[in-house]
Amino acid sequence: MNLRFGEEVGESLAAGLAIVALESSVIGQGLPLPRNRECVERMSGAIRAAGAVPAWIGVVDGAVTVGLTGEELERFAVAGDATKVARRDLPVAVATGALGATTVSATIWAAAKAGVAVGATGGIGGVHPGDDPDVSADLLELARTPGLLVCSGPKSIIDPVATTEKLEELGVSIVGYGVDRLPFFLARAAPVELEHRVDTPAAAAAMLRAAQELDVRSTLLLCNPVPSEMAMDAGEVAAAAREAEALADRAGVQGKVRTPFLLAALAELTDGRSLESNLALLEDTARVAAEIAVASAG
Ligand code: PSU
Ligand code: MN
């Protein structure tokens, strides 16, 4: 296995401590400087406050690393330095010695190999709106990687109904954390009813244990909505997302740069309020994931 471990994460793994896997694409491409630095502080802080250890994951000069140091994370935070790495991009990133910011798909792949079962992110990728839509590699990877990922639902630039259908087809359980409807990233709910719900870290940990014992080999997607006081109005988010899509279409932005483009456009169209919600939900998913990791380790 060709993974490199940060010192603290390596020791914590050996000691059986609670660990939470975190993606670095949100730092490299998802948030602008200096808000991405703030994201590192807030997510790591929330995880430590709950008694767990953060394991930021990324590719450092060709080494797939589980447990990035502060200095390494700073390299990801500097705009434009890191390339965006999905699972399909890992061999190229390794072979070329790249600095690669891993998306959910590459992050959960590495976390599973490392033996870290619980992870946190903001919004997952999914099926973009429109005919013949772009589909994020996150979805298939969630289907073939064991573990539990806490998120705030699909990003607001994603079609929530099509994404839910796809995950259902792929065998990924979507579970509401204290809610009955699918959270929708910056907004608290999408028009999608969920079949499953848990309300406590212990209940989530029990679900993870059952998945591991059954060897179902797909990720449990636990959806924790953005905190109420930081949530945006669903109608406003939808309108801004449509406008962002139109801007991307007009600029001809396709492929892996589309999601970062849409997130930046959303921030601009909402006078930065989407950034505040995004940071709040990232911090809260980190907290929830840490509480579940602690309950699982206990
Ligand atoms: N969540 C955020 N901001 C982000 C992402 C998630 O709050 O930037 C990243 C994740 O790394 C996710 C990726 O896997 O966006 C999806 O990109 P794409 O749609 O190109 O697959
Ligand atoms: Mn894509």
Side-chain angles (χ1 to χ4, degrees):
M1 188 174 43
N2 255 325
L3 293 178
R4 172 178 160 254
F5 288 91
E7 199 177 315
E8 184 193 16
V9 169
E11 288 169 10
S12 303
L13 262 173
L17 300 182
I19 303 175
V20 176
L22 300 166
E23 54 138 323
S24 48
S25 179
V26 67
I27 305 305
Q29 289 88 28
L31 294 166
L33 198 77
R35 304 312 296 269
N36 51 5
R37 280 190 191 126
E38 181 185 336
C39 175
V40 169
E41 295 307 316
R42 287 172 67 174
M43 292 187 88
S44 295
I47 289 168
R48 292 194 189 281
V53 173
W56 292 91
I57 294 176
V59 184
V60 180
D61 304 328
V64 181
T65 304
V66 178
L68 299 168
T69 64
E71 293 93 85
E72 285 166 344
L73 279 162
E74 178 59 25
R75 289 179 63 190
F76 287 88
V78 176
D81 280 8
T83 57
K84 180 172 166 181
V85 172
R87 178 190 187 252
R88 64 177 176 275
D89 306 310
L90 280 167
V92 176
V94 168
T96 59
L99 183 70
T102 51
T103 66
V104 164
S105 69
T107 301
I108 62 176
W109 177 89
K113 288 255 181 281
V116 179
V118 179
T121 186
I124 59 160
V127 182
H128 283 258
D131 311 324
D132 196 16
D134 179 276
V135 179
S136 173
D138 289 356
L139 301 190
L140 187 55
E141 208 54 33
L142 288 166
R144 59 184 171 193
T145 310
L148 182 148
L149 181 71
V150 187
C151 70
S152 294
K155 278 184 281 244
S156 307
I157 51 172
I158 296 297
D159 178 338
V161 176
T163 301
T164 308
E165 295 283 349
K166 193 78 199 164
L167 286 170
E168 215 174 271
E169 173 193 338
L170 290 170
V172 177
S173 301
I174 309 177
V175 182
Y177 191 64
V179 290
D180 297 306
R181 279 209 290 160
L182 181 73
F184 198 21
F185 194 52
L186 308 172
R188 279 185 61 87
V192 176
E193 294 285 334
L194 294 177
E195 283 179 56
H196 307 295
R197 160 180 180 152
V198 294
D199 291 281
T200 61
M207 202 169 63
L208 174 59
R209 202 169 318 118
Q212 288 166 334
E213 280 163 8
L214 292 167
D215 194 22
V216 289
R217 285 159 190 264
S218 53
T219 293
L220 294 163
L221 193 63
L222 190 68
C223 293
N224 173 51
V226 55
S228 306
E229 64 281 9
M230 295 305 294
M232 294 182 68
D233 174 71
E236 188 199 351
V237 173
R242 273 196 303 275
E243 210 173 325
E245 285 281 338
L247 286 171
D249 285 344
R250 244 175 290 146
V253 181
Q254 298 284 349
K256 69 202 284 179
V257 290
R258 191 169 173 101
T259 289
F261 178 94
L262 292 171
L263 291 175
L266 267 188
E268 208 153 302
L269 292 164
T270 61
D271 298 315
R273 277 175 298 128
S274 70
L275 282 179
E276 304 304 333
S277 294
N278 200 349
L279 283 157
L281 66 87
L282 284 158
E283 181 178 355
D284 206 54
T285 60
R287 172 188 63 83
V288 169
E291 289 173 1
I292 295 165
V294 168
S296 296

